[in-house]
Amino acid sequence: MFALSALLGYSVFFEGSSILFREIDVPVSVEEEGFTPKVVASRLASEVRAVNRAARTAKEQQKVGLTDDETAVKVVAEQFEFLKPIKATQEIMGLVTYTFGGEVVKLEHGYEFTVRGEDRKKGRTISVSSQGPRPEELIRPVAIDVARFIDPYIVASYYYETTRDAGGKDYADTLRELRNCMIVMPKEDRHWAVNLNGLVLLQQGKPEEAIEKFNEAKLMRADFVNPIYNTGLALAALGKHEEAIGKYKEVLAADAEKRTRYPHAYTQWGVSLAATGRPEEAVTMFRRAEQADPNFADLYNAWGKLLRDQGKQADAREMFQRAVDRVPERAEYRDNLKSVTPVVTGAVAG
């Protein structure tokens, strides 16, 4: 037991899967600029992790490990606390699910970064590449391809969330990835893609069509809570707030064990109460949402809107600031904060 504990001491596991990035071969000229094989592997691992985090999906996510070299791990661990060494012995034991390696080569004009990977459980392989004038610019597009190989839904959710963050309206990238999901995802996982398709329709101002997708997702997986909640959002968008509240209550009952959607349901229950002229009851729901998850950014954004509507600018500013602190990427939160932040003018010279 002691020997096994020592062997696994530097492991990173998540639901039985580990991802191993080997050192990336690079030209001497690239290495001299600081992009060593260890650094490029580290950057690729951290970019895949960044895509995963930006996706903000409730779907089961993989954790990303690094190469088995201690120095390479130290380079990243100083900046990314989630990374720890995965020993070569673990790979021999079959504890690594995905492995990736590759090289950067110098072209006549620019560079090409190629990565090859293997899914050991399913016997799949991948080879992807990206070309450009600078090596550092090639890491993100390859990381997206790697993330798609690990889980195509992660990339679909990544494009959806980053589009929302930017306040954009073009979900073409998300829809393209969703089409891919419906082809390559296991049948038992496709309810996630159908549900996300509904969210895209909701963002496009098509709540009735969105509800159809949410119903479809629920039929595909009877215990799937997310489409119940999302149906509430669509009903609220149609102005049917009492029906929406009914859906949020249904979420609270169905999710009583895991409570993953409790902060969401309480928040939107509060939003519907505020929309129907019951601000005091809305605040009660916001407080319940905060108790369920004090880091849920949408809660503070919704609370800030209520306070702003009530003319409580300072209190609204505090709430919007909390939302921005938790998800600084979301343009809506930043814009709402600006709307209640006094403009500071420079002093007039005497």
Side-chain angles (χ1 to χ4, degrees):
M1 177 62 76
F2 175 78
L4 184 59
S5 297
L7 175 64
L8 302 181
Y10 291 99
S11 305
V12 175
F13 293 105
F14 194 87
E15 300 295 337
S17 296
S18 293
I19 304 167
L20 177 63
F21 288 88
R22 304 181 186 283
E23 292 184 14
I24 304 296
D25 294 334
V26 300
V28 174
S29 59
V30 172
E31 190 167 0
E32 289 175 347
E33 294 180 3
F35 284 92
T36 66
K38 299 177 179 66
V39 169
V40 177
S42 301
R43 288 282 300 276
L44 178 60
S46 63
E47 284 294 329
V48 171
R49 172 66 172 179
V51 169
N52 199 13
R53 292 183 64 182
R56 302 192 193 101
T57 172
K59 187 176 182 294
E60 177 180 289
Q61 296 180 5
Q62 312 283 348
K63 268 205 174 180
V64 180
L66 191 61
T67 152
D68 53 357
D69 185 278
E70 296 281 356
T71 306
V73 171
K74 185 175 183 298
V75 169
V76 184
E78 291 173 353
Q79 302 178 42
F80 304 97
E81 69 282 0
F82 63 89
L83 290 175
K84 293 182 180 179
I86 295 182
K87 297 296 187 181
T89 314
Q90 293 175 245
E91 188 176 0
I92 296 172
M93 290 178 63
L95 299 176
V96 173
T97 305
Y98 299 95
T99 59
F100 295 95
E103 67 278 337
V104 175
V105 297
K106 183 75 172 69
L107 304 176
E108 183 177 356
H109 300 289
Y111 297 86
E112 181 176 58
F113 181 21
T114 300
V115 168
R116 287 170 289 277
E118 179 184 7
D119 176 350
R120 294 186 169 182
K121 285 186 177 180
K122 299 180 180 178
R124 300 181 301 139
T125 60
I126 186 177
S127 179
V128 295
S129 62
S130 180
Q131 296 182 5
R134 293 192 294 272
E136 61 269 28
E137 295 177 351
L138 308 181
I139 296 175
R140 173 53 69 96
V142 169
I144 291 175
D145 286 335
V146 168
R148 185 185 294 111
F149 179 70
I150 296 168
D151 186 346
Y153 179 78
I154 293 295
V155 179
S157 187
Y158 165 78
Y159 281 120
Y160 172 78
E161 289 291 340
T162 52
T163 299
R164 284 205 64 195
D165 283 345
K169 300 297 182 182
D170 184 359
Y171 288 91
D173 289 338
T174 307
L175 291 170
R176 182 191 66 242
E177 297 297 334
L178 285 173
R179 287 192 292 271
N180 179 57
C181 286
M182 296 304 293
I183 296 171
V184 303
M185 284 181 75
K187 187 175 180 180
E188 62 269 20
D189 287 341
R190 291 177 189 171
H191 56 282
W192 287 99
V194 174
N195 179 70
L196 183 54
N197 200 339
L199 286 173
V200 170
L201 289 167
L202 186 57
Q203 291 299 318
Q204 292 176 330
K206 304 172 183 177
E208 295 94 345
E209 294 179 43
I211 290 174
E212 292 178 7
K213 286 295 180 183
F214 298 144
N215 288 338
E216 182 182 344
K218 188 69 171 62
L219 287 173
M220 295 171 74
R221 177 83 183 221
D223 62 349
F224 194 20
V225 174
N226 294 36
I228 304 173
Y229 167 75
N230 292 332
T231 298
L233 296 180
L235 290 168
L238 291 167
K240 300 178 180 181
H241 290 286
E242 294 303 327
E243 292 183 45
I245 290 172
K247 289 297 178 181
Y248 305 141
K249 290 179 180 179
E250 188 177 340
V251 169
L252 296 173
D255 198 32
E257 183 178 348
K258 295 182 180 179
R259 302 194 172 199
T260 57
R261 280 292 179 263
Y262 264 46
H264 307 69
Y266 279 130
T267 295
Q268 293 304 320
W269 189 344
V271 169
S272 284
L273 287 169
T276 52
R278 291 172 281 180
E280 294 81 6
E281 295 177 56
V283 170
T284 297
M285 292 302 160
F286 291 155
R287 294 193 188 283
R288 290 182 184 177
E290 187 173 35
Q291 289 174 353
D293 183 1
N295 290 314
F296 184 50
D298 272 353
L299 156 67
Y300 299 108
N301 188 57
W303 204 338
K305 288 179 180 178
L306 174 61
L307 291 166
R308 183 178 60 189
D309 291 344
Q310 293 175 325
K312 300 175 181 178
Q313 300 291 91
D315 292 338
R317 185 161 59 250
E318 179 185 346
M319 290 300 174
F320 289 140
Q321 184 64 64
R322 291 184 189 181
V324 170
D325 289 344
R326 285 155 177 79
V327 184
E329 303 86 1
R330 187 60 58 94
E332 178 189 350
Y333 300 164
R334 299 195 304 269
D335 291 343
N336 284 335
L337 178 59
K338 289 179 183 178
S339 74
V340 292
T341 301
V343 177
V344 178
T345 57
V348 179

